[in-house]
Amino acid sequence: MTYFGAMQNEIYNAGLKGILPPFPVDFATLERRAHEALGPSLTNYIAGGCGDEHTQNQNAAAFHHWGMVPRMMVDCSVRDLSIELFGHKYPTPLFMAPIGLNGEATQDRHGDLAAARASAMTGVPFCASTLANDPLEEVKKACGTTPAWFQLYTPRNRELAESLIRRAEAAGYSALVITLDTWVTGWRPRDLNASNFPQLRGKVLQNYFTDPVFRSLLARPPEEDPAAAIFTWAATFGQVLTWKDMAWFKSVTRLPIVLKGICHPEDAARAVDHGADAIYCSNHGGRQANGGIATIDLLEDVVRAAGDVPVLFDSGVRSGSDAVKALALGARAVGVGRPYTYGLALGGAEGAAFVLRAILAEADLLMAVNGYPTLADVRAAGARRTDR
Ligand code: FNR
């Protein structure tokens, strides 16, 4: 059994030799240092959200009004944080949420490969975004033996959508995560004030530029006429999806289908009825719609409506205790978003792996102290709202 909390002993023991941890273990310091490393433009894009960012801020703040009650006299000397998903056993309940700007987050602009290497180093599966600086085949290879999932932004062009799905299958991804809330970009004042939308500057479009169907739409290849390729990308980017489209997705792939962006219990129930293999409760980190409700406050109802279908969760997870609370409220797996991208910004694969390991260490030690040796115990203990 992996003892994730052992990271704490490593840190204290290194301290006896005068060695400090290479990266911050808390989110506030991580965020501040990452913003310094990223510079204003990338910071705006990664840290920014929709409208006045109330929903985004609530996502993280709302974890504070959930609390857990410890149990005593329980043998917690061994903890099991493993989960089962899509027929595979994962050593941890975390995953790396798709972040379509990972590619730009590292100095070498190959942040997708660095994120994949962090996944290989930690066993935390990486959900690779359609928006990437390196093609999905290369990203998958860099994940090593850790299974990876592919997140699809469904293009309007069906042949292109199918081509991306086929490539993900051929590359060996083990789930298809279809993002439902982003056929159009939400109103993001930080980026608007700076007139900056990275994709329109040709960033993170390599999955399109390397795609045979996408290339067949162009008069000249992207290497010769990038402006025309970017224009074609913008014209084909976002398909509005409805429940009718599920039949098409099911007809073109045998990969487990995960629907990302489900926050309403009725949508969760419909997703189950339409054959979704997992539901991904997320509000895109508050980047798509403002005026919403913190996703952690919606999770329990979504889990109830999903029945036996697993629910993945993200939005606002900043620490191991946040992750345990989401598990207590019924998430099968918990997505880490901005924190690992900040790790990439500070230290590439090593930085992202450190952030993931720190979250796991805190989660493991919290389970140890709280008397929850397994995730089933976490779930049975549940979490309580403290503000009502
Ligand atoms: C995202 N997210 C996202 N989601 C998705 O399905 N495909 C994508 O390409 C992206 N790209 C992306 C870029 C950036 C810069 C951010 C911050 C987020 C949303 C992501 O998967 C996840 O839902 C949020 O990051 C969760 O919120 P927190 O915890 O990061 O605040």
Side-chain angles (χ1 to χ4, degrees), residues 161-177:
E162 186 166 350
S163 177
L164 290 167
I165 294 169
R166 295 264 169 269
R167 286 173 60 194
E169 285 172 341
Y173 286 89
S174 49
L176 181 70
V177 175

Side-chain angles (χ1 to χ4, degrees), residues 36-377:
E36 286 164 11
L38 287 162
S41 179
L42 283 169
T43 294
N44 280 337
Y45 190 84
I46 296 171
C50 230
D52 68 0
E53 302 183 356
H54 180 74
T55 301
Q56 163 172 313
N57 296 334
Q58 280 300 304
N59 277 339
F63 279 93
H64 294 137
H65 59 229
W66 289 97
M68 291 167 293
V69 183
R71 302 302 303 266
M72 294 298 129
M73 305 290 269
V74 179
D75 181 2
C76 280
S77 50
V78 177
R79 273 90 58 202
D80 183 358
L81 276 76
S82 68
I83 59 162
E84 193 275 331
L85 200 55
F86 315 130
H88 185 90
K89 189 165 179 191
Y90 293 88
T92 91
L94 299 185
F95 65 94
M96 298 165 76
I99 301 268
L101 214 84
N102 280 336
E104 293 290 304
T106 55
Q107 297 285 335
D108 68 358
R109 302 295 181 244
H110 290 287
D112 307 285
L113 296 178
R117 282 199 295 276
S119 169
M121 289 157 74
T122 57
V124 175
F126 178 38
C127 184
S129 171
T130 311
L131 296 171
N133 272 349
D134 283 282
L136 59 93
E137 291 82 0
E138 298 305 313
V139 173
K140 174 68 182 71
K141 274 186 218 150
C143 291
T145 54
T146 305
W149 314 332
F150 181 69
Q151 176 268 327
L152 181 72
Y153 278 135
T154 311
R156 289 185 203 157
N157 179 310
R158 273 285 145 100
E159 289 74 40
L160 176 56
E162 186 166 350
S163 177
L164 290 167
I165 294 169
R166 295 264 169 269
R167 286 173 60 194
E169 285 172 341
Y173 286 89
S174 49
L176 181 70
V177 175
I178 302 168
T179 298
L180 306 178
D181 59 13
T182 313
W183 61 272
V184 65
T185 306
W187 181 256
R188 298 178 188 160
R190 289 202 217 194
D191 295 329
L192 291 163
N193 284 337
S195 302
N196 178 42
F197 194 64
Q199 292 87 311
L200 292 179
R201 295 165 191 245
K203 314 285 190 203
V204 298
L205 300 182
Q206 284 311 309
N207 278 326
Y208 300 88
F209 291 0
T210 56
D211 190 277
V213 174
F214 183 83
R215 292 174 79 91
S216 74
L217 303 174
L218 306 172
R220 291 197 297 148
E223 304 78 52
E224 287 173 24
D225 191 353
I230 294 166
F231 183 81
T232 303
W233 169 79
T236 191
F237 174 71
Q239 173 65 35
V240 182
L241 296 173
T242 70
W243 292 112
K244 286 191 198 124
D245 293 302
M246 270 302 273
W248 181 79
F249 284 114
K250 304 253 334 157
S251 76
V252 292
T253 185
R254 299 177 78 90
L255 287 177
I257 292 178
V258 183
L259 295 183
K260 179 172 190 271
I262 302 266
C263 292
H264 197 295
E266 284 173 16
D267 288 345
R270 290 190 85 170
V272 173
D273 289 346
H274 284 79
D277 298 283
I279 284 155
Y280 189 156
C281 178
S282 163
N283 64 14
H284 214 110
R287 294 166 63 74
Q288 279 299 93
N290 198 28
I293 296 171
T295 316
I296 191 69
D297 291 346
L298 303 171
L299 176 61
E300 264 187 316
D301 287 343
V302 168
V303 168
R304 205 171 295 119
D308 294 336
V309 172
V311 175
L312 278 48
F313 171 86
D314 78 20
S315 294
V317 175
R318 301 290 177 260
S319 67
S321 40
D322 291 347
V324 176
K325 287 177 188 175
L327 294 162
L329 291 168
R332 176 76 64 92
V334 178
V336 177
R338 287 176 173 102
Y340 85 79
T341 299
Y342 289 152
L344 289 179
L346 288 184
E350 286 72 19
F354 184 94
V355 168
L356 294 168
R357 288 182 63 220
I359 291 173
L360 284 167
E362 185 188 341
D364 183 35
L365 292 170
L366 175 64
M367 285 170 62
V369 174
N370 268 8
Y372 312 148
T374 70
L375 296 181
D377 296 306

